[in-house]
Amino acid sequence: MPELPEVETVRRTLRPVLLGRRFEKVEVRLPKLIRGSPLEIVKLNHDRICGLERRAKILIIRLESGRSLLIHLKMTGQLIHVQRDGKLLTGGHPIPGGEVGLPNRTTQAIFHLDDGSALFFNDVRKFAYLRLHHHRELQALFTLLGPEPLLPSFTFAVFRSAVARRLKSQTKDVLLDQSVIAGLGNIYADEVNFAARIHPRRLVRSLSEEELRAIYGAIKRILRFAVQKRGTTFRHFRDGRGAQGGMRAYLKVYGRSGQPCVRCKTLIVREKLGSRSAHYCPRCQTLTKPKWAGTLSV
DNA sequence: AAGAAGTCCTGGGCGC
DNA sequence: TGCGCCCAGGACTTCT
């Protein structure tokens, strides 16, 4: 489940090894992973990589020709760089969980680069995709996405007007809606609600100004911290060097059902909410609006 | 028109 | 040990 921190971690680990490299040959083992016109991907050959960017959970490999390769890892996608000698870029030190044995049966595409190294695209569940676009198309494409929560432009006013479109929805649904805020997934949405002490089923219109500010602050704080910890690995997530993330040990609710809340020792609950599971503390995440609070005025 | 539900996909965990 | 069932979830599509 690569969310914003995981995709950002992949970007940061791949950037130094991919910048300036040319694609020599692209092997596609699972044709359906190429969205749009599959034959287009051949055009990658001999194109030089001039940038690695990210928008929401989408990784963008910018090419000198004016095209961009968009990659969405969805749930189990991995993008791992392997050196010419077949070794991971470990800097001489073993990486925990870095033994990936590439290529393996989950390898759906291999990008051979001009220095003899290769970029392996793995995906167990086959939901991830690649798509080739022209740079100029991206802006229009990304207008469907909400604000980037780690940019300075993501102010409280921006957040407030974004959620105001969804007053009748449950808080967690809104946090997961990529057109409201771009980059949160199930793990960090649960963590944000816990930090802000908001029950995942609380309706947006019942949130007080203070509660909304608490959610806003938690989004920025938690995502920044998760990027610093190089993302969360439950099973599949690996960074661009094949290493696991270090954020799991810091999660307070996700994956902790049946364990005591770090604040009040009440057991963390896992509950079906729509088609997702929500993890929360039934005691310190309030389902009803505190008496002292007003409603969100917009 | 917003919101809910169905869809894709496979490994792993569970009960029996 | 083995079989079958169910679950995990991002984002798109389809339905109400």
Side-chain angles (χ1 to χ4, degrees), chain A residues 183-197:
Chain A
L184 289 174
N186 210 35
I187 296 174
Y188 298 112
D190 279 355
E191 294 298 313
V192 164
N193 273 332
F194 176 80
R197 298 177 185 250

Side-chain angles (χ1 to χ4, degrees), chain A residues 86-214:
Chain A
K87 288 184 179 144
L88 296 168
L89 194 66
T90 62
H93 302 287
I95 296 176
E99 306 76 16
V100 282
L102 294 171
N104 58 41
R105 64 201 173 83
T106 72
T107 302
Q108 318 294 7
I110 306 171
F111 300 87
H112 298 275
L113 302 167
D114 62 348
D115 62 349
S117 69
L119 189 61
F120 288 80
F121 182 94
N122 306 324
D123 185 24
V124 173
R125 304 267 282 277
K126 303 180 181 175
F127 284 3
Y129 67 82
L130 311 172
R131 186 166 206 151
L132 207 52
H133 278 282
H134 281 277
H135 288 344
R136 60 174 183 272
E137 298 169 329
L138 296 188
Q139 203 177 356
L141 206 68
F142 293 157
T143 54
L144 302 170
L145 292 168
E148 276 295 321
L150 293 186
L151 290 183
S153 54
F154 181 65
T155 60
F156 179 65
V158 165
F159 173 64
R160 185 192 226 267
S161 72
V163 298
R165 297 190 284 112
R166 297 286 305 274
L167 290 176
K168 284 185 273 186
S169 303
Q170 296 177 340
T171 304
K172 179 156 179 199
D173 278 347
V174 175
L175 291 178
L176 288 174
D177 186 336
Q178 301 301 295
S179 70
V180 176
I181 315 147
L184 289 174
N186 210 35
I187 296 174
Y188 298 112
D190 279 355
E191 294 298 313
V192 164
N193 273 332
F194 176 80
R197 298 177 185 250
I198 302 297
H199 193 291
R201 282 196 277 110
R202 269 289 288 284
L203 297 185
V204 170
R205 69 174 166 209
S206 80
L207 295 172
S208 68
E209 180 89 4
E210 290 80 2
E211 288 174 321
L212 203 64
R213 280 193 185 275

